[in-house]
Amino acid sequence: MSKLGDTCIETGFAGFTHIFVMLRNLEHVRTVYGDDFVHALVKEISFRGHSRGAIISMVGEGAFLMHMHVGFPTSYNLALQELERWQLVLSAPPFEIEGTPIFPVLSVGFVTLDLFGAPSLAEINQITPPAPMPLPEVHCSTDWRLSYESDMEFAACFYRGLGRQDFALAFQPIVSLGEAGETLYEEGLLRSVENLAHRTTAGEDTISTLEKLGLIRRLDRSVVLSLLGMLRQEPQVKLGCNISSSSAVDDAWWISILELLALRPDLASRLTVEITEYLPMLHPETAVDFVRRLQTLGCRIAIDDFGSGFTTLDFVRRVQPDIIKIHAGYLHRARESEQSVEVLSNLVGISSRFAPNVVIEGVESEEDLVLARGTSANWAQGNLFKAPQLWPSWSRHPLFIRSSSL
């Protein structure tokens, strides 16, 4: 059962149930663009709600209460769908204010009103679990403001491209290191079909920029939805994709996906969700709860790029993943020295204590394959076996990513 529905179930969706909306990047926007810009943004958010049938009242700067003209759904599932709809409606597409594109970072959730017509502070704090990686601190320096503005312009450009289906998944298999050559699953890697703001691939720079802004959720949701569509079309394959650890939160962004996985265990059992931690998590317990829910639904969980970034052994121990993928850098350094070979072997050994499947990434040559087989890893990934393919042989067509916005 989703935490999002707890308040609704307690109230039975009575007429005093409302949706509370919180603008999380208000101070970021104010610092970069000024007070007048913030007022215009708040007005535009309110107008977007009104234009789609909501009665909206302000309960604080950047905080809104929403009530539907037609009443609130009395069904648990319909109410959750309504919550997700409003998350998408209010979050995208970006607002244009004085010719400047801006994405609000919004949290939405159910609240009930007290006798004075206001939600309790406790309920507001429980609207969504704390993000594993909250928004970065606001700084008043000119460099920080210019960087934030540039990142926001890039995000708007990126999501316009996503809306045009400028991005697709290129699939690369994870193959057995044994003689049989089995495939564990095929990972979908995000690729740019056209040049985008001089960045030709959707790599770590793109992901880290969207993470810093709090805007990675829409991309991760779009990728997972697109992949589930491919799984429905191709019942013979097992597929995987990467999501940021900052997206690993059981909230309104994931409602329809979690419902689909619950209804279609045949899809869940063929889906591997890879978690990558580009920045340190301040609230890992939130990500742990999200991962456990996916596992309960039948999905496999992989920890990606283990040994680099910020993934800790404690997080791996708590998550108990099905798969751990060793960052390619360890294999590539093992080409240079015996000491690095030993480091790779030890890391694989540690990983095998926490997951039954260990993958060595970045296998590019026969030499790499010999090094990989010299460890206790049972799977490998790399161009030696097959380069990422936009149109793999098992697919009827390339998988262009569709934007998940309404």
Side-chain angles (χ1 to χ4, degrees), residues 70-302:
V70 296
F72 206 79
T74 57
S75 159
Y76 168 70
N77 287 333
L78 289 178
L80 288 180
Q81 291 170 16
E82 184 75 358
L83 188 67
E84 182 180 40
R85 183 177 80 88
W86 281 108
Q87 176 75 74
L88 296 173
V89 163
L90 297 176
S91 298
F95 293 88
E96 291 277 346
I97 299 174
E98 300 174 358
T100 300
I102 188 77
F103 278 102
V105 179
L106 299 170
S107 293
V108 302
F110 297 117
V111 292
T112 53
L113 306 185
D114 60 22
L115 295 176
F116 301 99
S120 70
L121 181 61
E123 279 198 320
I124 291 174
N125 290 337
Q126 292 301 315
I127 282 177
T128 57
M133 289 177 292
L135 294 178
E137 292 183 5
V138 173
H139 297 280
C140 296
S141 69
T142 300
D143 286 346
W144 184 87
R145 292 197 299 268
L146 290 174
S147 176
Y148 188 92
E149 187 173 11
S150 174
D151 287 345
M152 187 64 74
E153 289 174 356
F154 172 74
C157 182
F158 176 87
Y159 279 119
R160 280 195 293 268
L162 194 71
R164 295 191 302 264
Q165 296 186 29
D166 286 350
F167 295 90
L169 292 184
F171 290 93
Q172 186 175 46
I174 286 80
V175 301
S176 171
L177 282 172
E179 298 301 326
E182 304 171 72
T183 297
L184 183 61
Y185 65 95
E186 300 222 9
E187 180 188 0
L189 302 162
L190 191 65
R191 292 291 183 265
S192 173
V193 178
E194 300 176 358
N195 290 344
L196 175 67
H198 307 295
R199 305 186 194 190
T200 57
T201 62
E204 288 189 17
D205 287 347
T206 297
I207 301 305
S208 62
T209 296
L210 297 178
E211 277 193 332
K212 283 190 299 181
L213 294 171
L215 300 177
I216 192 67
R217 313 293 296 287
R218 183 178 159 205
L219 172 61
D220 285 345
R221 182 180 188 274
S222 298
V223 168
V224 174
L225 276 175
S226 298
L227 199 72
L228 287 171
M230 180 66 84
L231 285 170
R232 281 184 287 194
Q233 292 178 22
E234 308 292 347
Q236 78 282 9
V237 299
K238 298 177 181 179
L239 302 176
C241 64
N242 201 286
I243 70 168
S244 163
S245 57
S246 62
S247 292
V249 183
D250 187 358
D251 63 6
W253 285 99
W254 295 106
I255 288 171
S256 60
I257 289 175
L258 295 174
E259 286 183 352
L260 176 60
L261 292 171
L263 290 170
R264 294 287 304 271
D266 59 310
L267 299 182
S269 64
R270 293 187 290 121
L271 173 65
T272 298
V273 178
E274 299 188 10
I275 308 290
T276 303
E277 191 175 348
Y278 291 105
L279 298 170
M281 287 190 287
L282 298 184
H283 300 286
E285 65 280 357
T286 303
V288 171
D289 290 344
F290 178 78
V291 166
R292 286 176 178 166
R293 185 161 187 210
L294 288 178
Q295 290 171 320
T296 300
L297 291 170
C299 301
R300 289 187 295 191
I301 298 297

